[in-house]
Amino acid sequence: MTPNNNAPSRAFQQDARAWSAFTGTNYTSALRQMSSPLAQGLLGPRVSARRLIAALNDHELIGANGGAPRLGENGVRSDSPWSFNGKTDYIQLALITDMLRMFTPTSGSEVAEVGSYSLKHTAEWFLSPHFSYVSNGRLIWAAAALGLPITDPDGDGPNLLIGVSEREHDYVRRMVGSGQTRPQADHYRPAGYEHLRAALARAAAGELITEGWLRPEPVAEPAPFHDWLVQQVSRNDVVGDLAGDYAAGVRDSDHRVARTADELLAIFHEVSHSPEAYDAVVTSIAEWMRTEPSPAPIRTEPVGGDTHNHGGWGAGAGTVERYEFLCPCGDGTIVEEHDNIPGFREHDVRIDCDKCHAEWRFVDGRGVRDWALEPAVVHPAA
């Protein structure tokens, strides 16, 4: 499945000759690897075999620079020689490179975060069933050829630190790893994760992937309540305790980010929590609304509703609407009703929960269809 135009063909031939000489395999087998749909670059340009070979000599940390090899199958400072099967070695390195491409690389003053040995296991799980084993050395080799930040944490042992996002790596590891607890939220999912999974399946079926993938520019979504809450972590009170638990849940992808106060309530409806934790939520939201200049009031999730026709009471037919929303504590409902009947046009909304009726109130100046809540203690003087 070698491309037909001359430039790619020459590049494939040059790579095949270099790979054949480096690995001791025959040219035809090497060219077949260069042409595999799995090796064409699923998240970026195809990694050149000559670039891979050059990294083992020229890279500032793992390169031999004309001396004895510094990197082997088991990692750096290892006497384990490379073992090439002549059939899939280049394809495997190309796929490891693609897997590493899906992570956001560290930059600037950020240090490399993820251990190569941990990453090599993630590569095994992610690339299964195409490859069930990835060596520590090949993971480091692909990272070096890709130009990722790499550091030697202690100058001893076979493992290095690779400069990719630790949170994104933890997400992928938990998604694909055997016996791992899957994340419950996707805010740390790498931008290329879904694209790479789909492209890998297509390439494995023999399809030549031709469309390119561009890493999207990060979009900073406003998250005013989240920003406020995580700033409260150091407090020695119920708000500080809640903020600490919330921040840990976001960090571990146990729940999503609460960009607004009502999203925090929605999260608490989805996870197990104590009555004391819910009371801390109400206290936190009340304080947030007191201190913020224009806080958004609370809307809860709809849980049911219907509209039916009504024959009316002599002045004509109409409709009756009834909608139910979860109350803030989750044990009752908020009921919104509309009687659209000539002569009896009534609209009403009420909290059908004794606990929430005492702790929450409807924000003044809003229509029935536009209702919103605030804690009853937002305005202590009221």
Side-chain angles (χ1 to χ4, degrees):
M1 198 173 292
T2 305
N4 293 323
N5 60 76
N6 291 330
S9 179
R10 286 197 298 271
F12 277 30
Q13 291 170 358
Q14 291 170 337
D15 265 6
R17 283 193 291 270
W19 195 251
S20 173
F22 179 74
T23 62
T25 59
N26 67 67
Y27 170 80
T28 302
S29 296
L31 185 60
R32 187 175 297 116
Q33 288 197 65
M34 303 302 123
S35 308
S36 168
L38 288 167
Q40 299 315 300
L42 307 181
L43 278 188
R46 182 182 72 90
V47 60
S48 163
R50 288 164 289 167
R51 179 177 177 181
L52 285 165
I53 296 167
L56 290 182
N57 184 65
D58 303 334
H59 190 272
E60 60 183 3
L61 184 60
I62 62 101
N65 293 309
R70 300 196 61 199
L71 184 68
E73 204 74 72
N74 291 338
V76 292
R77 292 177 287 268
S78 170
D79 295 331
S80 54
W82 297 109
S83 176
F84 300 108
N85 63 22
K87 298 179 180 179
T88 60
D89 303 295
Y90 169 76
I91 297 172
Q92 185 190 56
L93 283 162
L95 288 178
I96 296 170
T97 301
D98 272 324
M99 190 214 71
L100 290 172
R101 276 177 172 146
M102 77 174 161
F103 298 115
T104 302
T106 56
S107 60
S109 61
E110 296 178 288
V111 297
E113 296 180 324
V114 184
S116 59
Y117 198 76
S118 179
L119 264 168
K120 85 106 180 174
H121 283 303
T122 303
E124 290 169 347
W125 292 329
F126 189 89
L127 298 178
S128 176
H130 313 291
F131 293 98
S132 60
Y133 176 74
V134 171
S135 74
N136 187 37
R138 295 194 191 207
L139 189 288
I140 296 171
W141 185 1
L146 188 57
L148 287 172
I150 302 176
T151 58
D152 193 351
D154 50 21
D156 187 26
N159 305 323
L160 298 177
L161 291 177
I162 310 299
V164 295
S165 166
E166 183 178 16
R167 297 298 174 205
E168 291 181 359
H169 172 254
D170 181 67
Y171 175 93
V172 174
R173 184 177 180 85
R174 290 169 60 188
M175 285 294 290
V176 301
S178 175
Q180 300 287 313
T181 302
R182 291 172 67 91
Q184 300 301 304
D186 297 329
H187 46 270
Y188 288 124
R189 182 171 63 194
Y193 179 84
E194 295 291 351
H195 180 91
L196 182 55
R197 297 281 282 189
L200 185 59
R202 291 166 55 196
E207 181 180 347
L208 192 63
I209 307 299
T210 57
E211 69 270 20
W213 178 82
L214 295 176
R215 182 180 298 278
E217 290 293 328
V219 178
E221 295 186 51
F225 181 76
H226 166 85
D227 295 340
W228 175 84
L229 187 57
V230 296
Q231 291 174 2
Q232 316 307 312
V233 169
S234 60
R235 289 172 48 168
N236 188 25
D237 60 8
V238 294
V239 175
D241 293 342
L242 173 72
D245 292 342
Y246 165 80
V250 171
R251 184 172 59 249
D252 296 336
S253 296
D254 291 334
H255 56 71
R256 63 186 185 276
V257 172
R259 294 179 173 83
T260 60
D262 46 10
E263 288 185 356
L264 181 65
L265 281 173
I267 290 169
F268 264 70
H269 296 154
E270 298 165 358
V271 302
S272 59
H273 61 273
S274 66
E276 292 77 15
Y278 169 74
D279 292 341
V281 168
V282 178
T283 300
S284 299
I285 293 175
E287 181 175 332
W288 152 257
M289 289 188 167
R290 284 198 306 270
T291 57
E292 286 298 304
S294 300
I298 302 299
R299 288 280 297 196
T300 56
E301 313 100 283
V303 293
D306 61 64
T307 301
H308 62 270
N309 295 324
H310 192 285
W313 307 99
T319 61
V320 175
E321 301 173 70
R322 177 185 171 93
Y323 305 107
E324 293 187 355
F325 302 81
L326 203 62
C327 70
C329 79
D331 292 333
T333 57
I334 295 171
V335 180
E336 178 186 328
E337 293 179 318
H338 305 276
D339 292 337
N340 306 309
I341 303 170
F344 295 89
R345 297 184 184 275
E346 295 182 1
H347 305 274
D348 180 60
V349 61
R350 65 182 184 276
I351 301 174
D352 198 4
C353 170
D354 291 341
K355 178 178 177 60
C356 291
H357 185 76
E359 294 182 341
W360 297 82
R361 67 185 182 188
F362 292 105
V363 176
D364 293 336
R366 302 173 74 102
V368 171
R369 293 185 187 274
D370 190 36
W371 63 265
L373 298 174
E374 63 182 7
V377 296
V378 168
H379 306 293

